[in-house]
Amino acid sequence: MLQSCSVNSSELSCKKLRIAVLASGSGSNFEALVNYCRRKDVLVATVCLLIVNNPGSGAEARAERLGIPWILINHRDFDNRELHDAAIANTLKKENIDLVVLAGWMRIITSEIINAFPKGSLLNIHPSLLPAFKGSAAIADALLAGVVKTGCSVHEVVLDVDAGPIMAQAEVLITKADDLESLSAKIHQQEHLILAPIVLAKARHLTQIMDRMVALVNPALEPIQP
């Protein structure tokens, strides 16, 4: 069963490249990305949609405050992961989304979503210096391992978990005083700094590809400059 807030297609009409964010938690990375895209010097893309899988997670409240349409697609309403992802993919396609950002999305992505978009159109932010500490317990695993540093990584999404090409990383030093809460806060701070610039760089790249496709179909049309 698909549950959603009221989303009007005209409200989702964006002249820029259209970004959707998938979030399971509080949505702090979602908000940082929205604010970055709203800067006057950012002309290429805008966040048009938030999808959450956990009711009351907090991300939807941020979307309401920021004026971003959001949809709840609760994984508990589906018999398996593939059906849930198919509902997400259908929603993203219906709303003409160009780039999908997983920001604290605590679900393994299946081919239902990956195959619905061109290669490189899905990005994820992960709280470790990949390939170290893959999976949902990355911060706790780093503390348990006793390493002196960890961090966060922005990477493309592929079928293997946390295994896509890495686009950017930021290091965080681990002190003896750090616990799960303090280390999480330090990593999230770095996530907010690196995610948005990489998303916008990817958006510019995708825009250039689309402009070239337009020029090939109709050589009389000049590509729109980002």
Side-chain angles (χ1 to χ4, degrees):
M1 181 177 65
L2 176 66
Q3 301 179 17
S4 71
C5 69
S6 177
V7 178
N8 188 301
S9 294
S10 63
E11 292 175 344
L12 292 176
S13 178
C14 304
K15 295 180 181 179
K16 304 176 182 180
L17 185 141
R18 299 166 63 82
I19 297 173
V21 175
L22 276 57
S24 299
S26 69
S28 62
N29 272 311
F30 159 70
E31 181 168 356
L33 179 58
V34 170
N35 289 335
Y36 192 93
C37 289
R38 287 178 173 175
R39 286 172 26 173
K40 291 182 179 179
D41 60 329
V42 176
L43 304 176
V44 68
T46 187
V47 178
C48 297
L49 179 66
L50 169 72
I51 294 179
V52 299
N53 66 303
N54 289 320
S57 61
E60 60 265 49
R62 293 180 191 265
E64 292 282 355
R65 174 165 50 80
L66 294 166
I68 303 294
W70 63 273
I71 296 176
L72 168 65
I73 306 181
N74 193 333
H75 63 275
R76 301 164 187 84
D77 295 330
F78 297 84
D79 290 337
N80 56 54
R81 196 179 298 273
E82 286 73 22
L83 289 175
H84 181 233
D85 279 4
I88 293 172
N90 289 337
T91 299
L92 295 170
K93 285 297 185 181
K94 178 183 176 182
E95 305 304 340
N96 298 314
I97 297 301
D98 302 300
L99 179 62
V100 182
V101 179
L102 282 60
W105 184 249
M106 305 303 290
R107 302 279 300 168
I108 296 175
I109 294 294
T110 70
S111 59
E112 294 290 338
I113 295 178
I114 292 175
N115 293 342
F117 289 89
K119 182 179 178 181
S121 298
L122 286 85
L123 302 180
N124 180 51
I125 181 78
H126 181 77
S128 80
L129 295 175
L130 292 173
F133 308 119
K134 297 180 180 181
S136 60
I139 301 177
D141 289 344
L143 284 170
L144 186 63
V147 295
V148 297
K149 67 180 180 180
T150 182
C152 53
S153 307
V154 180
H155 67 94
E156 294 182 6
V157 177
V158 296
L159 277 177
D160 291 338
V161 177
D162 300 326
I166 297 170
M167 303 187 67
Q169 292 184 314
E171 292 185 355
V172 171
L173 296 179
I174 302 176
T175 69
K176 293 181 179 179
D178 274 323
D179 56 15
L180 184 60
E181 182 178 359
S182 65
L183 184 56
S184 296
K186 291 197 294 188
I187 291 174
H188 290 157
Q189 185 179 38
Q190 293 303 310
E191 288 178 344
H192 298 166
L193 293 176
I194 70 168
L195 177 60
I198 295 303
V199 169
L200 268 294
K202 173 61 75 170
R204 291 188 185 95
H205 176 68
L206 293 176
T207 299
Q208 291 167 0
I209 291 175
M210 289 187 288
D211 285 348
R212 287 196 292 269
M213 292 175 64
V214 169
L216 288 173
V217 173
N218 190 343
L221 295 177
E222 293 186 2
I224 300 173
Q225 296 300 317

